[in-house]
Amino acid sequence: MLIKSGKYIKLINVLKDIKITKIKPKNVLIFNTIKSPTLILVIKGEAEANLNEIQSSIVEGNLISIHPGSLLRLRNSLSDDIFEYYQMTIEQYELTSILDNELKYHLQYNNLPQNGFLTEKLPHRAFMIMKELMNCFSSMEEEDRIHYLLKEFLELYFSTDTRYPSAVFSSTCAYIDEHFHEKITRTFIAEMIGYNPRYFSAFFKKQMGWNFSDYLAYVRVNKAKEYLLTSDSPLNDIAYKVGYADGSSLSKKFKSLVGMSPSDFRLKRKPERIIALQFLGDMLALGIKPIASTDEVLNDSQLLQAELNGVVDVGKVPLDELAADLIIVPTYYYYANPERIGQMEKIAPVLMVNWGNSDLLKELRFFGELLGREKQAEDWIIAFKEKVQQSKRRIEQVKKQNETVALYEFWDDQYIRIWDRTARAAYNLYDMLELAAPERVQREVLDAQNHLVIPEDRLPEYAADHMFIIACEKSGYLHRVKKTIENHPIWSSIPAVRKQQIYFLKQEEFRFCEAYALEKQLEIQVRHLLKEKED
């Protein structure tokens, strides 16, 4: 049993196999029976790699991550030398429950590298880890050591591949966001996740772009902004709530980060000119038309295009020319360059808001309180719930008892995302219309409050009687998914396909599901379930 400091390990890394493989010049090696996630680390030589028809040249220090069901071809045709690499097969199990001292783990892929190539070179330490893993694996006696070596290897991968923040640091930031008001130190956090404090500081900075102390301070100051906008509490009381000893300490830090005093910020109540880098549906439901947003958010809010006419793309107009009262930003911007956030603070106060982890109607109420529009929020919610009740009555007339519903999203990587209720309007299906999910979706996604990623060949285990399929239309992938469903043997075995209870949704219309968008998405979902044609 893997235990650290009296706590059970939440993620267990298991090494299934590891070996060194060599390919002679002009030879080809084909992998077409991948059953577990596999990593290939190039030791020497150069080869052509074709992974699911995506081609890349790979050399020493490069890595290929292969998910189950993938097809990989390696061709040593670029030199007259032997091409040599480590091949490691791993699995990762997540702790899902503890009952009467019985631990239950489930196989998962969410915290493993995505399918594809890492063409940045991994550091020499990666090769040392591989060598030690081979020694441990041959002895079959060092399970704990293998777990921690794999953990370190994955951290090396994620710290090199800057596209994906490490799962370790995502959970660390989640802990800080929840416990910011407590006494938190660098040493405490480092020891909690099993790191040397000095190493933790350097890795946190590289991973997040923030110094640990600066990140903690900004989280606390951001929470203070919420209290300043929504209450008349004295500054000393707010300071205590966000982790500072007194109002003076908070005021000093607040002014250094925001560029104004807490009392001046408090005068910003009921802002009118808002730049919203997300949450457009919430703003519209409150009767607020943002003055600007990002091109990406605007393009992926197609259901709101009419209402967003005239909203400016922040990439095309200097922010300081927009005369904004407030800039609202989702908290994943913490993973962006902190200097960028500092630049925005010089233009208008920035408020970071949690996204994707709360009840969507509570989110609207939060914005109503924050922006002085509580009545507008409640009026919208009452009207929305009435539409929901009308929709439920209509669906009950045609839907068979005990039929299940679920929502699946396809990306161009042969994996399927099954979303929790906080994404892609799944909230409408489960919380509003109160439709039942398949047993495994209920247990592994909704009850666990966690998005799930599965290989396509496991879809029958999670299939529903009514299946909503989401994919990107502008990339042409939605069209390709439709063709796949028509011809693929996995899909032909699914009852929803035979009964024509598969419903296609555009990612560009369902990526964001805040309030006003949620209402429009409900109309589309109900129309599909009733098999009504679009007007």
Side-chain angles (χ1 to χ4, degrees):
M1 189 68 65
L2 287 163
I3 301 176
K4 184 171 181 63
S5 301
K7 295 182 179 180
Y8 297 111
I9 297 296
K10 293 183 179 179
L11 288 173
I12 295 179
N13 302 302
V14 177
L15 180 61
K16 304 292 290 184
D17 190 25
I18 184 168
K19 60 186 176 182
I20 293 177
T21 302
K22 299 178 181 180
I23 306 178
K24 295 180 180 179
K26 315 305 179 186
N27 283 12
V28 177
L29 190 61
I30 299 176
F31 298 78
N32 57 9
T33 56
I34 302 294
K35 295 183 179 180
S36 295
T38 300
L39 300 177
I40 288 178
L41 175 62
V42 181
I43 299 173
K44 67 178 182 180
E46 183 178 9
E48 294 177 345
N50 187 304
L51 178 60
N52 299 329
E53 306 307 321
I54 298 174
Q55 189 161 320
S56 178
S57 172
I58 54 174
V59 297
E60 178 185 344
N62 292 166
L63 184 141
I64 309 175
S65 172
I66 318 167
H67 284 194
S70 297
L71 174 64
L72 174 69
R73 294 183 181 89
L74 293 176
R75 182 188 300 272
N76 186 1
S77 60
L78 299 178
S79 73
D80 294 327
D81 297 325
I82 288 176
F83 180 73
E84 186 174 351
Y85 59 86
Y86 284 107
Q87 180 179 330
M88 178 172 67
T89 302
I90 62 177
E91 287 184 347
Q92 196 172 71
Y93 293 84
E94 183 174 21
L95 180 63
T96 56
S97 67
I98 304 175
L99 183 62
D100 296 330
N101 291 323
E102 181 184 1
L103 307 185
K104 288 189 177 181
Y105 286 86
H106 286 279
L107 181 68
Q108 68 88 40
Y109 301 140
N110 295 356
N111 296 302
L112 295 176
Q114 293 198 10
N115 213 36
F117 302 97
L118 177 62
T119 53
E120 295 181 59
K121 290 189 177 182
L122 284 172
H124 180 66
R125 174 61 182 160
F127 294 92
M128 296 174 64
I129 293 172
M130 284 287 192
K131 184 176 180 180
E132 188 173 353
L133 281 169
M134 286 192 69
N135 292 334
C136 292
F137 189 70
S138 62
S139 68
M140 299 297 290
E141 295 178 353
E142 300 186 59
E143 178 184 333
D144 286 13
R145 182 61 181 159
I146 288 175
H147 165 77
Y148 287 108
L149 285 170
L150 286 174
K151 176 183 175 184
E152 183 181 355
F153 186 88
L154 292 173
E155 287 165 357
L156 282 175
Y157 174 92
F158 285 116
S159 65
T160 303
D161 184 1
T162 55
R163 295 171 298 170
Y164 310 111
S166 164
V168 173
F169 282 87
S170 295
S171 61
T172 299
C173 293
Y175 181 89
I176 293 171
D177 292 344
E178 184 177 351
H179 299 274
F180 60 87
H181 57 288
E182 300 173 5
K183 185 177 180 180
I184 296 177
T185 65
R186 179 196 69 166
T187 300
F188 170 79
I189 294 293
E191 291 179 349
M192 183 182 73
I193 61 175
Y195 278 77
N196 174 278
R198 183 175 297 179
Y199 175 71
F200 169 77
S201 291
F203 200 10
F204 191 93
K205 171 69 174 177
K206 184 174 183 179
Q207 194 72 47
M208 296 291 297
W210 299 78
N211 291 321
F212 173 77
S213 58
D214 290 342
Y215 178 82
L216 176 60
Y218 200 88
V219 170
R220 286 171 166 170
V221 165
N222 189 72
K223 192 64 180 179
K225 291 176 183 177
E226 293 182 18
Y227 287 124
L228 289 165
L229 290 179
T230 59
S231 76
D232 295 315
S233 299
L235 191 58
N236 275 336
D237 291 353
I238 293 176
Y240 179 76
K241 289 178 180 179
V242 300
Y244 286 99
D246 52 47
S248 177
S249 300
L250 170 60
S251 183
K252 183 178 179 180
K253 180 58 69 174
F254 194 101
K255 192 167 185 179
S256 70
L257 293 178
V258 184
M260 66 176 68
S261 68
S263 57
D264 287 340
F265 179 83
R266 194 167 235 165
L267 297 176
K268 299 287 184 178
R269 286 182 173 180
K270 296 187 178 181
E272 295 294 332
R273 295 182 59 80
I274 296 175
I275 297 174
L277 303 191
Q278 204 176 302
F279 309 108
L280 302 185
D282 289 327
M283 298 298 106
L284 292 172
L286 296 175
I288 298 171
K289 184 176 181 178
I291 59 174
S293 188
T294 68
D295 177 64
E296 179 184 4
V297 172
L298 290 170
N299 286 337
D300 283 349
S301 300
Q302 288 189 3
L303 293 177
L304 309 179
Q305 289 303 300
E307 293 79 4
L308 296 174
N309 184 39
V311 176
V312 176
D313 172 8
V314 293
K316 296 180 180 179
V317 178
L319 289 181
D320 55 2
E321 294 183 6
L322 295 173
D325 300 323
L326 184 68
I327 302 175
I328 296 177
V329 180
T331 47
Y332 57 74
Y333 268 66
Y334 279 131
Y335 296 108
N337 191 330
E339 283 75 22
R340 174 61 173 161
I341 297 175
Q343 291 168 0
M344 289 192 290
E345 288 280 16
K346 294 178 181 178
I347 295 164
V350 176
L351 189 69
M352 308 285 279
V353 177
N354 284 330
W355 171 74
N357 61 359
S358 66
D359 180 286
L360 296 176
L361 297 188
K362 287 183 179 178
E363 180 180 278
L364 181 63
R365 286 191 174 100
F366 167 78
F367 277 114
E369 183 182 9
L370 194 72
L371 304 175
R373 299 195 177 222
E374 294 94 331
K375 185 178 186 305
Q376 289 91 332
E378 291 305 320
D379 287 348
W380 187 91
I381 289 171
I382 290 170
F384 177 65
K385 286 186 174 180
E386 177 55 35
K387 288 186 177 181
V388 168
Q389 292 304 314
Q390 293 173 6
S391 298
K392 286 175 70 174
R393 290 191 288 268
R394 295 175 63 200
I395 291 171
E396 288 170 357
Q397 295 176 7
V398 298
K399 180 179 167 294
K400 295 179 182 178
Q401 191 174 10
N402 299 323
E403 282 189 326
T404 58
V405 178
L407 188 149
Y408 313 81
E409 183 162 334
F410 287 72
W411 294 0
D412 200 2
D413 62 357
Q414 296 189 350
Y415 275 71
I416 299 170
R417 279 78 184 163
I418 304 178
W419 298 109
D420 183 22
R421 52 178 43 86
T422 58
R424 308 301 193 262
Y427 181 82
N428 278 339
L429 301 177
Y430 303 125
D431 290 57
M432 294 291 98
L433 297 175
E434 297 180 309
L435 300 173
E439 187 276 330
R440 293 197 68 165
V441 173
Q442 181 66 46
R443 172 166 50 86
E444 298 178 30
V445 179
L446 301 180
D447 292 345
Q449 298 182 1
N450 186 43
H451 305 313
L452 182 68
V453 181
I454 60 170
E456 191 172 12
D457 60 6
R458 293 185 63 196
L459 180 62
E461 303 172 34
Y462 298 87
D465 297 303
H466 297 265
M467 300 175 67
F468 287 91
I469 307 298
I470 295 182
C472 179
E473 182 185 48
K474 59 189 175 186
S475 68
Y477 196 54
L478 181 60
H479 175 73
R480 294 199 295 275
V481 171
K482 290 179 179 179
K483 290 295 183 183
T484 298
I485 290 175
E486 290 175 5
N487 304 305
H488 201 287
I490 290 176
W491 284 93
S492 63
S493 67
I494 294 175
V497 175
R498 298 196 298 269
K499 296 177 181 179
Q500 297 185 332
Q501 292 177 171
I502 298 282
Y503 317 118
F504 296 99
L505 305 175
K506 301 174 186 178
Q507 185 194 69
E508 295 88 339
E509 294 181 342
F510 277 76
R511 180 179 174 187
F512 303 108
C513 50
E514 300 107 357
Y516 198 71
L518 200 66
E519 180 180 1
K520 292 179 176 290
Q521 290 158 352
L522 175 70
E523 295 171 2
I524 295 172
Q525 291 166 317
V526 171
R527 188 176 68 241
H528 278 304
L529 290 169
L530 297 176
K531 297 188 177 181
E532 296 177 347
K533 293 184 178 180
E534 187 174 0
D535 294 335

